[in-house]
Coordinates of all heavy atoms in Angstrom, one line a residue:
M922 N 241.8 153.7 231.2 CA 241.9 152.4 230.5 C 240.6 151.6 230.7 O 240.2 151.5 231.8 CB 243.1 151.5 231.0 CG 243.4 150.4 230.2 SD 245.0 149.8 230.6 CE 244.5 148.0 231.2
K923 N 240.1 151.1 229.6 CA 238.8 150.4 229.8 C 239.0 148.9 230.3 O 239.9 148.3 229.9 CB 238.1 150.2 228.3 CG 236.8 149.9 228.3 CD 236.3 149.5 226.8 CE 236.4 150.8 226.0 NZ 236.1 150.4 224.5
E924 N 238.2 148.6 231.3 CA 238.3 147.4 231.9 C 237.6 146.3 231.1 O 236.6 146.4 230.5 CB 237.6 147.5 233.3 CG 237.9 146.3 234.2 CD 237.1 146.3 235.5 OE1 236.6 147.4 235.8 OE2 237.1 145.3 236.2
L925 N 238.3 145.2 230.9 CA 237.8 144.1 230.1 C 236.8 143.3 231.0 O 237.2 142.6 232.0 CB 238.8 143.2 229.6 CG 238.5 142.0 228.7 CD1 237.8 142.5 227.5 CD2 239.6 141.2 228.3
L926 N 235.6 143.3 230.8 CA 234.6 142.8 231.7 C 234.2 141.2 231.2 O 233.8 140.5 232.0 CB 233.3 143.6 231.8 CG 233.6 144.9 232.5 CD1 232.3 145.7 232.4 CD2 234.0 144.8 233.8
S927 N 234.3 141.0 229.9 CA 233.9 139.8 229.5 C 234.7 139.3 228.3 O 235.0 140.3 227.4 CB 232.5 139.7 229.2 OG 232.0 138.6 228.5
T928 N 235.1 138.2 228.3 CA 235.9 137.7 227.1 C 235.0 136.9 226.2 O 235.4 136.3 225.1 CB 237.0 137.0 227.4 OG1 236.7 135.7 228.4 CG2 238.1 137.7 228.3
K929 N 233.7 136.7 226.6 CA 232.8 135.8 225.8 C 232.2 136.8 224.7 O 232.1 137.9 224.7 CB 231.6 135.3 226.7 CG 232.0 134.4 227.6 CD 230.8 133.7 228.1 CE 230.0 134.7 229.1 NZ 228.9 134.0 230.0
V930 N 232.2 136.0 223.5 CA 231.6 136.6 222.3 C 230.4 135.8 221.9 O 230.3 134.7 221.9 CB 232.7 136.6 221.2 CG1 232.2 137.1 219.8 CG2 233.9 137.3 221.6
L931 N 229.5 136.7 221.4 CA 228.3 136.1 220.8 C 228.4 135.5 219.4 O 229.2 136.0 218.6 CB 227.1 136.9 220.8 CG 226.5 137.5 222.2 CD1 225.7 138.6 221.9 CD2 225.8 136.2 222.8
A932 N 227.7 134.4 219.1 CA 227.7 133.9 217.7 C 226.4 133.4 217.4 O 225.5 133.2 218.2 CB 228.6 132.8 217.6
I933 N 226.0 133.5 216.1 CA 224.7 133.2 215.6 C 224.8 132.2 214.6 O 225.6 132.3 213.6 CB 224.0 134.4 215.0 CG1 223.8 135.5 216.2 CG2 222.7 134.1 214.4 CD1 222.8 136.5 215.8
D934 N 223.9 131.1 214.6 CA 223.9 130.1 213.7 C 222.9 130.6 212.7 O 221.6 130.5 212.9 CB 223.5 128.8 214.4 CG 223.1 127.7 213.4 OD1 223.3 127.9 212.1 OD2 222.4 126.8 213.8
F935 N 223.3 131.1 211.6 CA 222.4 131.6 210.6 C 221.5 130.7 209.9 O 220.3 130.9 209.4 CB 223.2 132.5 209.5 CG 223.8 133.7 210.1 CD1 225.2 133.6 210.3 CD2 223.1 134.8 210.4 CE1 225.8 134.8 210.9 CE2 223.7 135.9 211.0 CZ 225.1 135.9 211.2
E936 N 222.0 129.3 209.8 CA 221.0 128.3 209.3 C 219.9 128.0 210.1 O 218.7 127.8 209.6 CB 222.0 127.1 209.1 CG 222.9 127.2 207.9 CD 223.6 126.0 207.6 OE1 223.2 124.8 208.0 OE2 224.7 126.0 207.0
G937 N 220.1 128.2 211.4 CA 218.9 127.9 212.4 C 218.0 129.2 212.5 O 216.8 129.0 212.8
C938 N 218.5 130.3 212.4 CA 217.7 131.6 212.6 C 216.5 131.6 211.7 O 216.6 131.6 210.4 CB 218.7 132.7 212.3 SG 217.8 134.3 212.5
I939 N 215.3 131.9 212.3 CA 214.1 132.0 211.4 C 213.7 133.6 211.5 O 212.5 133.9 211.0 CB 213.0 131.2 212.1 CG1 212.7 131.6 213.6 CG2 213.3 129.8 211.8 CD1 211.6 130.9 214.2
L940 N 214.6 134.5 211.8 CA 214.3 135.9 211.7 C 213.2 136.3 212.5 O 212.3 137.2 212.0 CB 214.2 136.5 210.3 CG 215.5 136.2 209.6 CD1 215.3 136.6 208.1 CD2 216.6 137.3 210.2
C941 N 212.9 135.7 213.7 CA 211.7 136.0 214.5 C 211.8 137.4 215.1 O 210.9 137.9 215.6 CB 211.4 134.9 215.6 SG 212.7 134.9 216.8
E942 N 213.1 137.9 215.3 CA 213.3 139.2 215.8 C 213.2 139.3 217.3 O 213.2 140.4 217.9 CB 212.7 140.3 215.0 CG 213.0 140.4 213.6 CD 212.4 141.7 213.0 OE1 212.3 142.6 213.7 OE2 212.2 141.7 211.7
I943 N 213.0 138.2 217.9 CA 213.0 138.2 219.4 C 214.2 138.7 220.1 O 214.2 139.6 220.9 CB 212.6 136.8 220.0 CG1 211.3 136.4 219.7 CG2 212.9 136.7 221.5 CD1 210.8 134.9 220.1
C944 N 215.4 138.4 219.6 CA 216.7 138.8 220.1 C 216.7 140.3 219.8 O 217.2 141.1 220.9 CB 217.8 138.2 219.5 SG 217.8 138.3 217.7
V945 N 216.3 140.9 218.8 CA 216.3 142.3 218.5 C 215.3 143.1 219.5 O 215.7 144.1 219.9 CB 215.9 142.6 217.0 CG1 215.9 144.1 216.8 CG2 216.8 141.8 216.0
E946 N 214.2 142.4 219.8 CA 213.4 143.1 220.7 C 213.9 143.1 222.1 O 213.7 144.1 222.8 CB 211.8 142.4 220.5 CG 211.1 142.8 219.4 CD 209.8 141.8 219.2 OE1 209.4 141.3 220.3 OE2 209.4 141.6 218.2
L947 N 214.4 142.0 222.5 CA 214.9 141.8 223.9 C 216.3 142.7 224.1 O 216.5 143.2 225.2 CB 215.1 140.4 224.2 CG 213.9 139.7 224.4 CD1 214.2 138.2 224.6 CD2 212.9 140.2 225.6
A948 N 217.1 142.7 223.1 CA 218.3 143.4 223.4 C 218.7 144.2 222.0 O 219.8 144.0 221.3 CB 219.4 142.4 223.6
P949 N 217.9 145.2 221.7 CA 218.2 146.1 220.5 C 219.6 146.7 220.5 O 220.0 147.2 219.4 CB 217.1 147.2 220.5 CG 216.6 147.2 221.9 CD 216.9 145.8 222.6
H950 N 220.3 146.8 221.6 CA 221.7 147.5 221.7 C 222.7 146.4 221.2 O 223.7 146.7 221.0 CB 222.0 148.0 223.0 CG 222.0 146.9 224.1 ND1 220.8 146.0 224.4 CD2 223.1 146.4 224.9 CE1 221.2 145.3 225.3 NE2 222.4 145.4 225.6
A951 N 222.2 145.2 221.1 CA 223.2 144.1 220.7 C 222.9 143.5 219.5 O 223.9 142.9 218.9 CB 223.4 143.1 221.8
F952 N 221.6 143.4 219.1 CA 221.2 142.7 217.8 C 220.4 143.6 216.9 O 219.7 144.5 217.4 CB 220.4 141.4 218.2 CG 220.9 140.5 219.1 CD1 220.7 140.5 220.4 CD2 221.9 139.5 218.6 CE1 221.3 139.7 221.3 CE2 222.5 138.7 219.5 CZ 222.1 138.6 220.8
R953 N 220.6 143.4 215.6 CA 219.8 144.1 214.6 C 219.6 143.3 213.5 O 220.4 142.4 213.2 CB 220.2 145.5 214.3 CG 221.4 145.4 213.5 CD 221.8 146.9 213.0 NE 222.9 146.8 212.0 CZ 222.7 147.3 210.6 NH1 221.6 148.0 210.5 NH2 223.8 147.3 209.9
I954 N 218.5 143.5 212.7 CA 218.5 142.8 211.4 C 219.2 143.8 210.3 O 218.9 144.9 210.1 CB 217.0 142.8 210.9 CG1 216.2 141.9 212.0 CG2 216.9 142.0 209.5 CD1 216.6 140.5 212.2
N955 N 220.1 143.3 209.6 CA 221.0 144.1 208.8 C 220.2 144.3 207.4 O 219.3 143.6 207.2 CB 222.3 143.8 208.6 CG 222.6 142.3 208.1 OD1 221.7 141.9 207.3 ND2 223.6 141.8 208.3
D956 N 220.7 145.1 206.6 CA 220.3 145.4 205.2 C 220.2 144.1 204.4 O 219.3 143.9 203.5 CB 221.0 146.4 204.4 CG 221.0 147.8 205.0 OD1 220.0 147.9 205.9 OD2 221.8 148.5 204.9
A957 N 221.0 143.1 204.6 CA 221.0 141.9 203.8 C 220.0 140.9 204.4 O 219.8 139.8 203.8 CB 222.4 141.2 204.0
G958 N 219.2 141.3 205.6 CA 218.2 140.4 206.1 C 218.7 139.4 207.0 O 217.9 138.4 207.3
F959 N 219.9 139.6 207.6 CA 220.3 138.6 208.7 C 220.4 139.2 209.9 O 220.6 140.5 210.0 CB 221.7 138.1 208.2 CG 221.7 137.3 206.9 CD1 222.2 137.8 205.8 CD2 221.3 135.9 207.0 CE1 222.2 136.9 204.7 CE2 221.3 135.2 206.0 CZ 221.7 135.6 204.7
V960 N 220.4 138.6 211.1 CA 220.7 139.2 212.4 C 222.2 139.4 212.4 O 223.0 138.6 212.0 CB 220.4 138.2 213.6 CG1 220.8 138.6 214.8 CG2 218.8 137.9 213.4
E961 N 222.4 140.6 212.9 CA 223.8 141.1 213.1 C 224.1 141.3 214.5 O 223.2 141.9 215.2 CB 223.9 142.3 212.3 CG 225.4 142.9 212.3 CD 225.4 144.2 211.3 OE1 224.9 144.1 210.2 OE2 225.9 145.1 211.8
I962 N 225.2 141.0 215.1 CA 225.6 141.3 216.5 C 226.4 142.6 216.3 O 227.4 142.9 215.7 CB 226.5 140.2 217.0 CG1 225.7 138.9 217.1 CG2 227.0 140.6 218.4 CD1 226.5 137.6 217.3
L963 N 225.8 143.6 217.2 CA 226.4 144.9 217.1 C 227.7 145.1 218.0 O 227.8 144.2 219.0 CB 225.4 146.0 217.6 CG 224.2 146.0 216.7 CD1 223.0 146.9 217.3 CD2 224.3 146.5 215.2
D964 N 228.5 145.8 217.6 CA 229.8 146.2 218.3 C 229.5 147.0 219.7 O 229.4 148.1 219.6 CB 230.7 146.9 217.4 CG 232.0 146.8 217.8 OD1 232.3 146.0 218.7 OD2 232.9 147.6 217.3
I965 N 229.4 146.2 220.7 CA 229.4 146.9 222.2 C 230.4 146.4 223.0 O 231.1 145.4 222.7 CB 228.0 146.6 222.6 CG1 227.8 145.0 222.8 CG2 226.8 147.2 221.8 CD1 226.5 144.9 223.5
D966 N 230.8 147.1 224.0 CA 231.8 146.8 224.9 C 231.6 145.6 225.7 O 232.6 144.7 226.0 CB 232.1 148.0 226.0 CG 232.6 149.2 225.2 OD1 233.2 149.1 224.2 OD2 232.5 150.4 225.8
V967 N 230.4 145.4 226.3 CA 230.1 144.2 227.0 C 228.9 143.5 226.5 O 227.9 144.0 226.3 CB 229.9 144.7 228.6 CG1 229.6 143.5 229.5 CG2 231.1 145.5 229.1
Y968 N 229.2 142.3 226.6 CA 228.1 141.3 226.0 C 227.4 140.4 227.0 O 227.0 139.4 226.8 CB 228.5 140.4 224.9 CG 228.9 141.1 223.6 CD1 230.3 141.4 223.3 CD2 228.0 141.4 222.6 CE1 230.7 142.1 222.3 CE2 228.3 142.1 221.5 CZ 229.6 142.4 221.3 OH 229.9 143.1 220.1
S969 N 227.4 140.9 228.3 CA 227.0 140.1 229.3 C 225.8 140.6 230.3 O 225.7 140.2 231.3 CB 228.2 139.9 230.2 OG 228.7 140.9 230.6
D970 N 225.0 141.5 229.7 CA 224.0 142.2 230.6 C 222.7 141.2 230.5 O 222.6 140.2 229.6 CB 223.6 143.5 230.1 CG 223.1 143.6 228.8 OD1 221.9 143.2 228.5 OD2 223.7 144.3 227.9
E971 N 221.8 141.5 231.3 CA 220.5 140.7 231.5 C 219.7 140.5 230.1 O 219.2 139.5 229.8 CB 219.7 141.3 232.5 CG 219.9 140.8 233.9 CD 219.9 139.3 234.1 OE1 218.9 138.7 233.5 OE2 220.9 138.7 234.5
N972 N 219.6 141.6 229.4 CA 218.9 141.6 228.2 C 219.4 140.8 227.2 O 218.8 139.9 226.5 CB 218.7 143.0 227.6 CG 217.8 143.9 228.5 OD1 217.2 143.5 229.4 ND2 218.0 145.1 228.2
I973 N 220.8 140.6 227.1 CA 221.3 139.6 226.0 C 221.1 138.3 226.7 O 221.0 137.4 225.9 CB 222.9 140.1 226.0 CG1 223.0 141.4 225.3 CG2 223.6 139.1 225.2 CD1 224.3 142.0 225.2
H974 N 221.3 138.0 227.9 CA 221.1 136.7 228.4 C 219.8 136.2 228.1 O 219.4 135.1 227.7 CB 221.3 136.5 229.8 CG 222.7 136.6 230.3 ND1 223.7 135.6 229.8 CD2 223.7 137.6 231.0 CE1 224.9 135.8 230.3 NE2 224.8 136.9 230.9
E975 N 218.7 137.2 228.2 CA 217.4 136.9 227.9 C 217.2 136.4 226.4 O 216.5 135.6 226.1 CB 216.5 138.0 228.3 CG 215.5 137.7 229.4 CD 214.5 138.8 229.6 OE1 213.6 138.9 228.9 OE2 214.8 139.7 230.6
A976 N 217.9 137.3 225.6 CA 217.8 137.0 224.1 C 218.3 135.7 223.8 O 217.7 134.9 223.0 CB 218.5 138.1 223.4
V977 N 219.4 135.3 224.4 CA 220.1 134.0 224.1 C 219.1 132.8 224.6 O 218.8 131.9 223.9 CB 221.4 133.9 224.9 CG1 222.0 132.4 224.8 CG2 222.4 134.9 224.4
N978 N 218.5 133.1 225.8 CA 217.7 132.1 226.4 C 216.3 131.9 225.8 O 215.6 130.9 225.8 CB 217.5 132.3 228.0 CG 218.7 132.1 228.8 OD1 219.5 131.5 228.2 ND2 218.8 132.7 229.8
N979 N 215.9 133.0 225.1 CA 214.5 133.0 224.5 C 214.5 132.7 223.0 O 213.5 132.8 222.4 CB 213.8 134.3 224.8 CG 213.4 134.3 226.3 OD1 212.3 133.7 226.6 ND2 214.0 134.9 227.0
C980 N 215.7 132.8 222.3 CA 215.7 132.3 220.9 C 215.0 131.1 220.7 O 215.5 130.1 221.2 CB 217.2 132.3 220.4 SG 217.3 131.7 218.8
P981 N 213.9 131.0 219.9 CA 213.2 129.7 219.6 C 214.0 128.6 219.0 O 213.6 127.5 219.1 CB 211.9 130.2 218.9 CG 212.4 131.4 218.2 CD 213.5 132.2 219.1
K982 N 215.0 128.9 218.3 CA 215.7 128.0 217.6 C 217.2 127.8 218.1 O 218.1 127.0 217.7 CB 216.1 128.5 216.1 CG 214.7 128.7 215.5 CD 213.8 127.5 215.2 CE 214.3 126.7 214.1 NZ 213.5 125.5 214.1
D983 N 217.3 128.4 219.4 CA 218.6 128.1 220.2 C 219.8 128.5 219.1 O 220.9 127.7 219.3 CB 218.8 126.7 220.7 CG 218.1 126.5 222.0 OD1 217.7 127.5 222.6 OD2 217.7 125.4 222.2
C984 N 219.7 129.5 218.5 CA 220.9 129.7 217.5 C 221.8 130.9 217.8 O 222.6 131.2 217.1 CB 220.4 129.8 216.1 SG 219.0 131.1 215.8
I985 N 221.6 131.3 219.1 CA 222.5 132.3 219.7 C 223.3 131.7 220.6 O 222.8 131.0 221.6 CB 221.9 133.5 220.3 CG1 220.7 134.1 219.4 CG2 222.9 134.6 220.5 CD1 219.9 135.2 220.1
S986 N 224.7 131.6 220.5 CA 225.5 131.0 221.6 C 226.6 131.9 221.9 O 226.9 132.8 221.4 CB 226.0 129.7 220.9 OG 226.7 129.9 219.8
W987 N 227.2 131.4 223.0 CA 228.6 132.0 223.4 C 229.7 131.3 223.0 O 229.7 130.1 222.9 CB 228.4 132.0 225.1 CG 227.5 132.8 225.6 CD1 226.3 132.2 226.2 CD2 227.4 134.3 225.8 NE1 225.6 133.4 226.8 CE2 226.1 134.5 226.4 CE3 228.2 135.4 225.4 CZ2 225.8 135.9 226.8 CZ3 227.8 136.7 225.8 CH2 226.5 136.9 226.2
E988 N 230.8 132.1 222.6 CA 231.9 131.3 222.2 C 233.2 131.8 223.1 O 233.1 133.0 223.6 CB 232.4 131.7 220.8 CG 231.3 131.0 219.8 CD 231.8 131.1 218.4 OE1 232.4 131.9 218.1 OE2 231.1 130.2 217.7
Ligands
SF4_298 S1 215.8 135.1 218.3 FE1 217.2 133.5 217.3 S2 215.8 132.9 215.6 FE2 215.0 134.8 216.2 S3 215.9 136.3 215.0 FE3 217.2 136.2 216.9 S4 218.7 134.7 216.3 FE4 217.0 134.4 214.8

């Protein structure tokens, strides 16, 4: 049985996003630019590793948040 390590979920404020791709560079396992040209949060088991925290902290528009 898979252990639930985190109940936090990432959210992106698309109005604030300037598509700088910093989040994609820092945590490519969690973020990507989709075909429609928006940042997409990928479906992974745990959203709490260091790279994701770095992406959240380094987004220049503060548009990645935890819910
Ligand atoms: S780091 Fe922030 S502004 Fe840049 S692409 Fe990611 S969500 Fe958008």
Side-chain angles (χ1 to χ4, degrees):
M922 192 169 116
K923 197 186 297 178
E924 190 182 349
L925 185 60
L926 295 175
S927 172
T928 56
K929 289 194 290 186
V930 175
L931 287 169
I933 295 194
D934 167 14
F935 292 107
E936 285 185 22
C938 176
I939 56 171
L940 293 172
C941 68
E942 297 191 29
I943 287 175
C944 56
V945 179
E946 284 171 25
L947 291 174
H950 61 301
F952 302 97
R953 74 174 187 123
I954 306 294
N955 65 19
D956 293 341
F959 293 103
V960 173
E961 183 177 313
I962 298 167
L963 298 173
D964 193 17
I965 56 176
D966 287 341
V967 179
Y968 290 98
S969 59
D970 67 66
E971 270 306 308
N972 293 347
I973 294 175
H974 284 293
E975 244 185 83
V977 172
N978 292 335
N979 285 287
C980 171
K982 303 298 280 183
D983 279 338
C984 52
I985 311 171
S986 59
W987 296 104
E988 292 189 343

